[in-house]
Amino acid sequence: EVQVVESGGGLVQAGGSLRLSCAASGFTSDDYAIGWFRQAPGKEREAVSCILIKYGSTYYKDFVKGRFTISSDNAKNTVALQMNSLEPEDTAIYYCAADITCRDDAMKYWGKGTLVTVSS
């Protein structure tokens, strides 16, 4: 059974940095994708970034380009989301998700989320 678990959320001041981690288990090969999504209070969930583990291909939404970096440690089956220059608008619950490819909408396997709060 595939499982994904996020960690690393917390409280940070605007302009600061946080690093989220997603631990994935249950895949029988490296041909899968890990995506990060977020849902701010009162808003719909939105895609943030995604990585194809086998190829190392990465994708970012425009609102995080240049600030967030997604990376994978295949030996540890973890994916990190390094978030720099954080803004209050980045406050949200961040979810890690897995599927056979990157998708902007619903990926198949989801973590429970980790809260990121950016204070002004």
Side-chain angles (χ1 to χ4, degrees):
E1 180 183 359
V2 173
Q3 291 187 328
V4 288
V5 179
E6 311 93 338
S7 62
L11 173 64
V12 65
Q13 289 189 331
S17 300
L18 276 177
R19 185 177 180 89
L20 305 182
S21 183
C22 175
S25 61
F27 286 100
T28 57
S29 75
D30 62 356
D31 200 1
Y32 64 95
I34 295 291
W36 285 98
F37 295 74
R38 70 186 187 185
Q39 186 166 18
K43 295 187 177 181
E44 293 187 353
R45 185 178 63 200
E46 61 184 355
V48 174
S49 181
C50 192
I51 184 167
L52 296 174
I53 299 300
K54 183 175 182 178
Y55 305 104
S57 305
T58 59
Y59 306 91
Y60 299 92
K61 289 301 181 182
D62 286 346
F63 54 81
V64 300
K65 281 182 179 178
R67 300 190 300 126
F68 292 10
T69 302
I70 191 169
S71 61
S72 67
D73 182 338
N74 294 356
K76 297 181 180 179
N77 292 331
T78 60
V79 169
L81 184 69
Q82 177 67 40
M83 306 186 296
N84 299 328
S85 302
L86 283 162
E87 304 165 352
E89 293 75 20
D90 295 315
T91 294
I93 298 175
Y94 283 72
Y95 298 92
C96 169
D99 206 331
I100 59 172
T101 190
C102 292
R103 306 182 195 279
D104 272 358
D105 48 12
M107 293 180 71
K108 189 170 183 179
Y109 304 99
W110 289 85
K112 294 182 179 181
T114 186
L115 178 62
V116 171
T117 304
V118 184
S119 64
S120 57

